[in-house]
Amino acid sequence: MSRTSPGYLLLAALILLGSGVLSPAAHGEETRIRAVRLWPASEYTRVTFEAVQAIHGNLFSVPNPDRLVLDLEGVTATQPLEQMAAQLTPQDPYLRKIRVGHFKPGVVRVVFDLKGPVNATSALLEPVGDYGYRLVLDIYPATVTPDPLSPVLDKPALQVQNDVPSGAIPDTPLAGEARPVAPLVQADVPKRGAETGPGTETGRHSPRTLLIAVDAGHGGEDPGAHGEAGTHEKNVTLAIARRLKAAIDAQPGLSAVLIRDGDYFIPLQERTAKAHRLHADLFVSVHADAYINQEARGSSVFALSEKGATSVAARWLAKQENDADLMGGITLPHHQVYLAQTLFDLSQTATINDSLKMARAVLGELDQINVLHRGFVEQAGFAVLKSPDIPSILVETAFITNPEEERRLNDPVYQEKLAQAITHGLQDYLHKSGAWGPHVTALDRTRLAGSTP
């Protein structure tokens, strides 16, 4: 049943009434929308309505022409609602026009004129951080089925495919928070310890281009940490990630893809799932650290731990990063998140050693351009690093809460140095790793311009 079909919405309404939860209008109260935010992206567009009280709405679709209609019950037409249409840009991939008006007493109707058929879901999020109640509307391509579990359950066995041509890897659209575990396909990763001689399956093809997934932390409703001067982590990580992609692409035998290339939210498990869909060989998540003490400074590199964090600070940081889904507004039920994560954990152990080697190589290069917060790689239960077959690391480039490091994080020259250092660390790891050696013969080991202080 479609989530925007009359039958689905009628069922949802009956469940709501049966639970004894009534709309504000039923109590004679009015909800004042204090903020409306639009987050357009090719993967999906999110519309967020925020208020102090819970927001109740009825979402349905209307064809010929294609429209989405959201009736907000017991809501007062505030300035943010009346001005939300001004946030819409011609570049939005799904929305053509937004109209707001009183439909009947106690109901404000929002009509979204669409550029074509879409799928849509809505969810009410509980208050978290500085946010009040949020009613989020996610609009994504009509061709994508928002089923978060079956793709994980149906994941095929890994296979080695070394004849994938460079540039032939598609950037599959995402569905948004309502579908945080997206379809997984066969990962194009060499089996650890596999022989690659002329008579083997992998030896029949010339060395292929290795693909590195670059993940800019946070985004959209989740700004991440912020500095004293007002810098948001989500903006810094995206700037560094774009430079890192360019630095990797410049190296023979290497190519990079951005998991997030705009200001929008992607759930943590969806980031890993996208890396799988793109057949990524390595995964690098870029972040900026934060702490209550402004004196804290330095770069760090983390890998996943299955047995607990290596320090109290690492455990605290992992919790902060894992809470990104709450800030960004994930809409997958908690029991589904747990089940999906359990499936990933089954084959995680074999990848952690490779992740640690990669982390040490990158940390060694960062030591050339910045002080290290700690002189060794730390481990904790970062959700974004839980990939069963892709070596994955999380790089905390610097402390955004340190005024001096915040200034450097905003400096394009320093951003480039960070990108070059991470790239050279990845090169060192690939050359030293016996499992990858036969696949990277085309790599150039010369140091990158700008990778020294």
Side-chain angles (χ1 to χ4, degrees), residues 334-383:
H334 292 299
H335 72 277
Q336 293 187 5
V337 172
Y338 177 80
L339 176 56
Q341 194 59 65
T342 299
L343 294 170
F344 275 117
D345 289 345
L346 294 177
S347 55
Q348 181 66 67
T349 305
T351 308
I352 292 181
N353 286 339
D354 287 307
S355 300
L356 285 169
K357 293 176 183 178
M358 178 167 57
R360 293 186 189 106
V362 171
L363 188 68
E365 293 300 321
L366 290 173
D367 191 24
Q368 304 300 311
I369 65 168
N370 193 21
V371 297
L372 300 181
H373 185 60
R374 291 176 181 267
F376 53 89
V377 173
E378 291 213 71
Q379 293 177 262
F382 292 92

Side-chain angles (χ1 to χ4, degrees), residues 303-310 352 379-382 385-386:
L304 181 67
S305 171
E306 290 185 308
K307 300 179 181 179
T310 51
I352 292 181
Q379 293 177 262
F382 292 92
L385 300 183
K386 291 189 176 182

Side-chain angles (χ1 to χ4, degrees), residues 215-217 233 235-241 244 284-290 297-302 317 321 362-363 366-367 369-373 394-400 405-406 408-410 414-419 421-422:
D215 171 44
E233 182 182 1
N235 297 327
V236 168
T237 60
L238 182 57
I240 296 172
L244 178 56
V284 180
S285 190
V286 180
H287 291 258
D289 216 334
R297 61 174 302 183
S299 302
S300 304
V301 184
F302 292 83
L317 179 62
E321 298 295 358
V362 171
L363 188 68
L366 290 173
D367 191 24
I369 65 168
N370 193 21
V371 297
L372 300 181
H373 185 60
L394 186 146
V395 179
E396 295 284 0
T397 52
F399 276 82
I400 200 170
E405 292 205 333
E406 178 187 9
R408 296 177 74 189
L409 285 170
N410 282 300
Y414 186 66
Q415 291 175 358
E416 183 65 21
K417 286 186 176 183
L418 286 168
I422 295 170

Side-chain angles (χ1 to χ4, degrees), residues 128 215 217-218 222 224 233 265-269 271-272 285 287 302-305 309 314-330 334 337 341 379-386 394 396:
V128 60
D215 171 44
H218 307 280
D222 171 28
E233 182 182 1
F265 171 70
I266 303 179
L268 297 175
Q269 290 184 16
R271 296 168 189 252
T272 303
S285 190
H287 291 258
F302 292 83
L304 181 67
S305 171
R315 184 185 306 113
W316 179 86
L317 179 62
K319 183 182 184 304
Q320 296 299 110
E321 298 295 358
N322 293 345
D323 283 348
D325 277 350
L326 298 177
M327 293 296 294
I330 189 170
H334 292 299
V337 172
Q341 194 59 65
Q379 293 177 262
F382 292 92
V384 77
L385 300 183
K386 291 189 176 182
L394 186 146
E396 295 284 0

Side-chain angles (χ1 to χ4, degrees), residues 213 259 270-280 282-283 390:
I259 297 297
E270 175 67 16
R271 296 168 189 252
T272 303
K274 184 175 182 180
H276 274 264
R277 293 200 305 276
L278 298 175
H279 301 269
L282 305 176
F283 182 91
I390 304 176

Side-chain angles (χ1 to χ4, degrees), residues 16-81:
L16 184 63
L17 289 173
S19 66
V21 179
L22 300 178
S23 68
H27 296 283
E29 301 175 358
E30 287 189 338
T31 300
R32 295 186 60 84
I33 303 297
R34 68 182 187 185
V36 180
R37 296 180 289 273
L38 268 65
W39 304 100
S42 59
E43 284 83 355
Y44 75 105
T45 287
R46 164 164 284 193
V47 184
T48 302
F49 302 88
E50 183 183 355
V52 175
Q53 308 99 321
I55 308 168
H56 297 273
N58 178 33
L59 175 67
F60 58 95
S61 60
V62 181
N64 302 319
D66 293 312
R67 285 159 289 164
L68 284 176
V69 179
L70 178 64
D71 284 343
L72 299 172
E73 303 171 0
V75 167
T76 301
T78 58
Q79 188 177 37
L81 269 175

Side-chain angles (χ1 to χ4, degrees), residues 115-448:
K115 295 180 177 179
V118 300
N119 283 332
T121 60
S122 64
L124 179 64
L125 307 177
E126 296 290 326
V128 60
D130 294 332
Y131 290 131
Y133 285 95
R134 288 174 291 167
L135 178 66
V136 295
L137 170 63
D138 291 342
I139 304 167
Y140 45 87
T143 55
V144 177
T145 302
D147 184 353
L149 279 183
S150 61
V152 182
L153 296 168
D154 296 337
K155 184 178 183 294
L158 299 178
Q159 292 185 359
V160 178
Q161 297 175 342
N162 289 326
D163 54 351
V164 178
S166 177
I169 300 180
D171 189 1
T172 308
L174 305 180
E177 289 83 337
R179 201 178 55 86
V181 181
L184 302 181
V185 297
Q186 294 175 346
D188 191 19
V189 179
K191 293 180 180 178
R192 305 297 184 260
E195 296 181 358
T196 54
T200 65
E201 177 68 21
T202 57
R204 295 193 186 118
H205 307 291
S206 59
R208 62 176 175 82
T209 297
L210 296 181
L211 184 67
I212 300 173
V214 178
D215 171 44
H218 307 280
E221 288 281 292
D222 171 28
H226 62 85
E228 187 178 52
T231 304
H232 284 146
E233 182 182 1
K234 66 177 183 178
N235 297 327
V236 168
T237 60
L238 182 57
I240 296 172
R242 285 171 171 166
R243 292 180 179 276
L244 178 56
K245 179 186 184 307
I248 292 171
D249 287 343
Q251 305 310 305
L254 294 182
S255 181
V257 61
L258 291 174
I259 297 297
R260 175 174 75 87
D261 192 15
D263 189 11
Y264 52 92
F265 171 70
I266 303 179
L268 297 175
Q269 290 184 16
E270 175 67 16
R271 296 168 189 252
T272 303
K274 184 175 182 180
H276 274 264
R277 293 200 305 276
L278 298 175
H279 301 269
D281 299 299
L282 305 176
F283 182 91
V284 180
S285 190
V286 180
H287 291 258
D289 216 334
Y291 195 60
I292 54 176
N293 184 355
Q294 290 188 341
E295 298 300 316
R297 61 174 302 183
S299 302
S300 304
V301 184
F302 292 83
L304 181 67
S305 171
E306 290 185 308
K307 300 179 181 179
T310 51
S311 69
V312 173
R315 184 185 306 113
W316 179 86
L317 179 62
K319 183 182 184 304
Q320 296 299 110
E321 298 295 358
N322 293 345
D323 283 348
D325 277 350
L326 298 177
M327 293 296 294
I330 189 170
T331 58
L332 184 69
H334 292 299
H335 72 277
Q336 293 187 5
V337 172
Y338 177 80
L339 176 56
Q341 194 59 65
T342 299
L343 294 170
F344 275 117
D345 289 345
L346 294 177
S347 55
Q348 181 66 67
T349 305
T351 308
I352 292 181
N353 286 339
D354 287 307
S355 300
L356 285 169
K357 293 176 183 178
M358 178 167 57
R360 293 186 189 106
V362 171
L363 188 68
E365 293 300 321
L366 290 173
D367 191 24
Q368 304 300 311
I369 65 168
N370 193 21
V371 297
L372 300 181
H373 185 60
R374 291 176 181 267
F376 53 89
V377 173
E378 291 213 71
Q379 293 177 262
F382 292 92
V384 77
L385 300 183
K386 291 189 176 182
S387 173
D389 48 19
I390 304 176
S392 304
I393 61 173
L394 186 146
V395 179
E396 295 284 0
T397 52
F399 276 82
I400 200 170
T401 47
N402 179 299
E404 173 60 21
E405 292 205 333
E406 178 187 9
R407 183 191 65 77
R408 296 177 74 189
L409 285 170
N410 282 300
D411 181 4
V413 174
Y414 186 66
Q415 291 175 358
E416 183 65 21
K417 286 186 176 183
L418 286 168
Q420 300 283 5
I422 295 170
T423 301
H424 198 263
L426 296 176
Q427 286 181 294
D428 284 347
Y429 159 71
L430 291 169
H431 276 285
K432 293 175 181 177
S433 175
W436 291 98
H439 302 275
V440 292
T441 55
L443 280 174
D444 182 1
R445 292 205 64 187
T446 58
R447 291 191 66 88
L448 305 172

